[in-house]
Amino acid sequence: MIIFQDLEEGADIAAAISEEKTLSVIDLIVNGGTGSVVIIMVLFVLLFVALYIYFERIFAIKAASKIDKNFMNQIRDHVMNGKLDAAKILCAQTDSPVARLTEKGVSRIGKPLDDINTAIENAGTLEVYKLEKNVSVLATVAGAAPMIGFLGTVIGMILAFHEMASSGGQAEMGSLASGIYTAMTTTVAGLVVGIIAYIGYNHLVNRTDKVVHKMEANAVEFLDLLNEPI
């Protein structure tokens, strides 16, 4: 009975120690010192910027990709029947990059095909620019966040070694805690923000490529329409 009682007391003590040593995320950040707090706050701002750009762009790209499947059929009917004004009205009522490219082509009907193609390509360049707005910032965050985290790592290690040097190599682990916390927490935070931004950037690029492909396919279909005999 005494042995079991001792084991239970030892388990209770171990559990108590474990609870005392458990740190929340906020405690982990604060215990890293001023340097850790500043760097992690910078990374938090970058994370907010990355998430804002991602969701803003994903909704914009989703809206740009929506178009009626019968849109080009209606344009074909209007053009073949000589109803260019009706085709322009239909394009104006359809808020999408494909409709704006088509409207640019319809407005050039009667001019050489090369001029129409050039006008559509120029309009397409502007539409792609709109789709890619601020996406480069997301790429910058994906590259800068880990570097900022590593900067915190270097600062933390400098603080730790400075403490050791100041104490003649006899520093206690407790006195090194601030530098070690700074090194570890900023590294993790920088990598987390960088990974999130990198995944978001690649997802936006993939979605944008799909919209661009749809724009190119509809532009080719429109040019083929102009080459059809009336």
Side-chain angles (χ1 to χ4, degrees), residues 17-222:
I17 294 174
S18 178
E19 291 179 359
E20 290 178 359
K21 291 184 177 180
T22 300
L23 290 175
S24 66
V25 175
I26 296 178
D27 292 335
L28 191 61
I29 294 174
V30 173
N31 289 337
T34 304
S36 175
V37 172
V38 171
I39 291 176
I40 290 180
M41 288 302 296
V42 171
L43 291 172
F44 177 79
V45 172
L46 291 179
L47 177 61
F48 175 80
V49 171
L51 292 176
Y52 173 80
I53 292 176
Y54 172 76
F55 286 108
E56 187 273 333
R57 284 292 85 199
I58 202 67
F59 289 127
I61 293 172
K62 185 177 180 180
S65 63
K66 290 183 178 179
I67 188 170
D68 187 1
K69 295 181 179 179
N70 294 323
F71 174 76
M72 289 307 299
N73 292 330
Q74 295 175 352
I75 292 295
R76 177 187 297 273
D77 293 338
H78 290 321
V79 172
M80 296 298 291
N81 294 324
K83 299 178 180 179
L84 300 184
D85 290 337
K88 292 178 182 178
I89 293 174
L90 177 60
C91 292
Q93 293 175 344
T94 306
D95 185 17
S96 70
V98 171
R100 286 188 283 272
L101 294 186
T102 304
E103 182 179 12
K104 187 67 66 175
V106 171
S107 64
R108 296 294 193 279
I109 290 179
K111 295 185 178 181
L113 194 59
D114 290 340
D115 292 346
I116 298 176
N117 187 28
T118 301
I120 292 176
E121 288 181 353
N122 292 336
T125 301
L126 294 176
E127 293 298 331
V128 172
Y129 175 78
K130 293 178 182 179
L131 291 174
E132 295 178 345
K133 180 182 178 182
N134 293 330
V135 175
S136 60
V137 176
L138 201 60
T140 301
V141 172
M147 296 177 65
I148 294 174
F150 292 145
L151 174 62
T153 301
V154 174
I155 292 175
M157 297 310 296
I158 289 174
L159 292 175
F161 283 115
H162 178 267
E163 186 66 29
M164 292 179 63
S166 300
S167 61
Q170 302 298 323
E172 298 179 356
M173 287 302 298
S175 63
L176 302 178
S178 179
I180 295 174
Y181 272 128
T182 300
M184 297 299 101
T185 56
T186 56
T187 300
V188 172
L191 289 174
V192 169
V193 175
I195 290 171
I196 292 174
Y198 182 75
I199 293 174
Y201 170 77
N202 281 281
H203 185 236
L204 289 180
V205 169
N206 184 45
R207 293 291 298 271
T208 302
D209 288 342
K210 291 181 179 179
V211 177
V212 172
H213 176 72
K214 184 180 294 186
M215 291 165 53
E216 292 175 347
N218 282 272
V220 171
E221 184 177 353
F222 178 77

